Amino acid sequence: MNEERIIAVQAALRESGVDALLISVGSDLPYLTGYRAMPLERITALVVPAFGEATLFVPELEAPRVDTSVEVRPWGETDDPFDRIAAGLPSDSTIAVGDQMWASFLIAFQDRRPGARFVDAEPLMAPLRMIKDKDEIAALRDAGHAVDGVADHLSTVRFGGRTEREMSRIVSDLVLASGHESVSFAIVAAGKNGASPHHEGSDQIIEPGDAVVVDFGGRVRGYGSDTTRMYCVGEAPDGFVEAYAVLEHAQRAAVESVRPGTTAETIDATARSIISDGGYGEFFIHRTGHGIGLDAHEQPYIVQGNTEPIRTGMAFSIEPGIYIPGRWGMRIEDIVVATDDGVERLNRSSRKLRFVE
Ligand code: ZN
Ligand code: ZN
Ligand code: ZN
């Protein structure tokens, strides 16, 4: 698996006239080596030359944790790792640098290779990472199934009287109990806080009549889940049910519009036009979705201006929302994957408004 991906990235390097790929922390590393490095000041770096063997440089103390088919070269505590890594990089070459590399690392490489041209590796990596293979889709599917169980379980939990922070902790615990190896986020935003899409759980107490945005996800075998469901404590606030009907329609239509050959921006326009026709256009303040995989947000972005054609194997969220400042917010989010003949939803829990105590 890693071998095939490295061969594919080498072909991409040669095609774009880049001499080597230089990756440190971030998800390109596990994608190419199967190893996720801790983001430490001790550098871990993968060098993939356009021709020849890839090498993974790791701090000596991390070496026992590394299990990869790539050749591993540990560096010791008193070595200069940048000298050793740069030794494999020709002087006046073009080097593509991973988008998560620390600025201090890049500056150290620029010092050692002043004649080299450093370029962004994302345009090389994104086309590969965007198309998920069978195993990646299986991991995304399992992650989706696990959060669906959490969404359903939450319908039986009392929200009223708890703080957002307390609810967020309950959601996190359920995400772990459902089989995720880690929690990526657990957004609980009640009442007017729901109008801020990435609201962090506060000490605000959830009260009867609050609509609560619950948006959560974690990782299964390295791959992300991400779903949003809406919970109303006792009853829905004024005007909420009507807007929710519009949002449900927009979300469903956008999901159903997914198929190979359509573009990312067309999917966004599908959701947006229904919300605009419903009279809430100015309150849908973010893009319709984002790709998901080893990163919680990655390409393709489902946004106006992105003419990227959808291809089989692309996985992304469809998450339109309506946010009325000072009153409430709502969002419905599912992960989908494009298939040869359309779309597979990876989240299947009910999208109906959920009434809780
Ligand atoms: Zn988000
Ligand atoms: Zn989300
Ligand atoms: Zn999302």
Side-chain angles (χ1 to χ4, degrees):
M1 177 187 80
N2 298 333
E3 293 87 335
E4 282 166 34
R5 290 177 181 175
I6 285 178
I7 289 167
V9 83
Q10 285 181 311
L13 289 170
R14 293 194 292 265
E15 220 167 276
S16 20
V18 174
D19 300 293
L21 176 71
L22 177 58
I23 297 290
S24 63
V25 291
S27 297
D28 291 338
L29 188 66
Y31 182 78
L32 292 172
T33 66
Y35 172 64
R36 189 178 277 278
M38 272 192 254
L40 295 176
E41 74 293 351
R42 294 186 179 99
I43 187 171
T44 295
L46 173 70
V47 177
V48 184
F51 297 92
E53 288 287 302
T55 310
L56 179 62
F57 295 87
V58 297
E60 202 164 31
L61 76 168
E62 303 289 348
R65 301 196 308 120
V66 183
D67 176 21
T68 178
S69 53
V70 175
E71 187 191 319
V72 176
R73 251 184 255 170
W75 57 268
E77 289 284 72
T78 56
D79 294 337
D80 181 328
F82 300 102
D83 280 346
R84 301 194 47 183
I85 298 163
L89 302 168
S91 291
D92 43 5
S93 53
T94 301
I95 300 163
V97 178
D99 61 353
Q100 310 269 317
M101 182 175 289
W102 288 12
S104 59
F105 295 171
L106 177 56
I107 289 168
F109 287 120
Q110 284 172 326
D111 271 355
R112 280 147 184 93
R113 287 289 176 270
R117 199 166 72 94
F118 291 87
V119 299
D120 183 3
E122 204 195 3
L124 296 168
M125 293 305 301
L128 301 174
R129 284 183 46 193
M130 260 194 290
I131 309 295
K132 270 66 184 182
D133 65 25
K134 193 163 80 348
D135 292 339
E136 293 179 291
I137 292 170
L140 287 165
R141 195 181 283 127
D142 290 349
H145 184 72
V147 279
D148 285 353
V150 174
D152 287 342
H153 186 97
L154 283 172
S155 294
T156 69
V157 172
R158 176 177 57 82
F159 280 55
R162 298 189 200 270
T163 65
E164 290 176 335
R165 210 188 302 280
E166 220 180 319
M167 271 313 299
S168 173
R169 214 155 31 228
I170 290 171
V171 174
S172 295
D173 289 346
L174 289 170
V175 168
L176 290 175
S178 70
H180 287 76
E181 61 234 10
S182 62
V183 181
S184 306
F185 50 89
I187 296 170
V188 175
K192 60 180 172 20
N193 292 340
S196 162
H198 280 168
H199 175 75
E200 290 270 343
S202 72
D203 288 326
Q204 182 178 311
I205 292 173
I206 302 170
E207 299 191 6
D210 276 350
V212 189
V213 180
V214 185
D215 180 353
F216 52 99
R219 276 189 176 143
V220 171
R221 302 197 294 283
Y223 285 79
S225 59
D226 188 0
T227 192
T228 308
R229 292 294 182 260
M230 290 303 309
Y231 299 80
C232 283
V233 185
E235 55 181 356
D238 268 359
F240 195 87
V241 171
E242 297 84 331
Y244 195 77
V246 173
L247 183 65
E248 250 191 304
H249 177 201
Q251 204 266 354
R252 186 174 54 244
V255 169
E256 285 167 359
S257 76
V258 174
R259 60 183 177 280
T262 192
T263 63
E265 68 172 0
T266 306
I267 300 168
D268 179 78
T270 299
R272 205 164 296 280
S273 67
I274 292 169
I275 290 175
S276 294
D277 289 349
Y280 302 99
E282 63 179 302
F283 303 115
F284 178 16
I285 53 177
H286 57 68
R287 63 190 178 210
T288 292
H290 55 83
I292 188 166
L294 288 166
D295 280 320
H297 287 189
E298 58 180 49
Q299 294 200 49
Y301 294 104
I302 309 304
V303 62
Q304 189 188 345
N306 186 3
T307 56
E308 179 84 43
I310 299 303
R311 278 168 289 151
T312 299
M314 284 184 175
F316 48 89
S317 70
I318 302 282
E319 52 176 310
I322 299 173
Y323 308 92
I324 313 281
R327 292 180 61 200
W328 44 253
M330 57 172 67
R331 178 162 70 252
I332 302 173
E333 176 175 22
D334 293 315
I335 303 302
V336 301
V337 55
T339 62
D340 286 335
D341 49 6
V343 62
E344 177 187 344
R345 281 184 189 267
L346 302 187
N347 293 107
R348 291 153 187 257
S349 74
S350 169
R351 280 166 292 276
K352 289 275 166 257
L353 205 49
R354 293 155 183 258
F355 289 89
V356 292
E357 292 195 354

